[in-house]
């Protein structure tokens, strides 16, 4: 699977850990940065990852910042992105099964490396259930189209 990944300075260390895990598992990873703990602006990375997913350059995206909230808000401004903040593997499973989330945001301040890796695995290996949930995703897509007019 091809994964787009990005983080700001607060998420850099956890991003690097997860990047290594993804590569070990044989995933192709497109790293949009950041490449250090020097202060950066999270919307830049959220936009790059979101656009890569929507444009088909990546199958799914991963974003890491301090809380995960800023990244998810910024990424969701990109039409076609369904970014979800993950805090537990069960919650992440729901974001895939029911919401067809295509970008996972993780808060490095609140998530240790082991839990982050577990959530990422859940995100990558859980399928969208479709059915009644597809109807709801279609309604979300309609809202986006209305707002883009």
């Amino acid at each position: 699977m091809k994964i787009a990944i990005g983080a700001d300075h607060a998420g850099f260390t956890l991003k690097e850990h997860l990047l290594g895990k993804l590569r070990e598992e044989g995933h192709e990873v497109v790293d949009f940065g950041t490449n250090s703990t020097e202060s950066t602006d999270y919307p830049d990375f959220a936009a790059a990852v979101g656009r890569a997913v929507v444009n088909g350059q990546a199958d799914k995206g991963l974003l890491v910042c301090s809380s995960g909230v800023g990244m998810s808000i910024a990424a969701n401004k990109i039409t076609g992105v369904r970014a979800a903040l993950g805090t537990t593997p069960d919650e992440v499973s729901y974001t895939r099964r029911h919401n067809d989330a295509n970008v996972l945001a993780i808060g490095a301040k609140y998530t240790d490396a082991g839990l982050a890796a577990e959530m990422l695995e859940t995100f990558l290996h859980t399928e969208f259930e479709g059915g009644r949930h597809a109807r709801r995703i279609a309604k979300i897509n309609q809202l986006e189209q209305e707002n883009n007019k």
Side-chain angles (χ1 to χ4, degrees), residues 51-73:
R51 288 181 181 127
V53 171
V54 170
N55 294 333
Q57 296 170 289
D59 301 305
K60 292 190 173 100
L62 173 65
L63 296 166
V64 188
C65 67
S66 182
S67 69
V69 174
M71 285 286 204
S72 61
I73 290 170

Side-chain angles (χ1 to χ4, degrees), residues 130 135 140:
R135 180 180 71 241
I140 291 171

Side-chain angles (χ1 to χ4, degrees), residues 28-110:
E28 183 179 348
V29 183
V30 181
D31 183 0
F32 287 96
T34 193
N35 299 309
S36 75
T37 57
E38 184 177 330
S39 185
T40 59
D41 297 327
Y42 63 83
D44 300 334
F45 305 100
V49 168
R51 288 181 181 127
V53 171
V54 170
N55 294 333
Q57 296 170 289
D59 301 305
K60 292 190 173 100
L62 173 65
L63 296 166
V64 188
C65 67
S66 182
S67 69
V69 174
M71 285 286 204
S72 61
I73 290 170
N76 279 317
K77 300 299 180 185
I78 307 295
T79 298
V81 169
R82 288 177 305 282
L85 172 63
T87 59
T88 69
D90 185 57
E91 179 184 51
V92 170
S93 175
Y94 269 90
T95 72
R96 286 290 308 129
R97 291 186 292 121
H98 291 195
N99 308 121
D100 198 19
N102 53 12
V103 175
L104 175 64
I106 296 176
K109 183 175 180 180
Y110 304 103

Side-chain angles (χ1 to χ4, degrees), residues 1-7 11-35 49 62-64 106 113 116-117 120-121 124:
M1 186 178 304
K2 193 168 186 180
I3 312 299
I5 188 169
F12 170 72
T13 301
L14 183 56
K15 178 200 77 144
E16 290 296 301
H17 173 77
L18 296 172
L19 183 113
K21 291 258 184 214
L22 288 168
R23 288 185 173 147
E24 283 175 15
E25 293 170 6
H27 296 286
E28 183 179 348
V29 183
V30 181
D31 183 0
F32 287 96
T34 193
N35 299 309
V49 168
L62 173 65
L63 296 166
V64 188
I106 296 176
L120 180 56
E121 281 299 307
L124 296 178

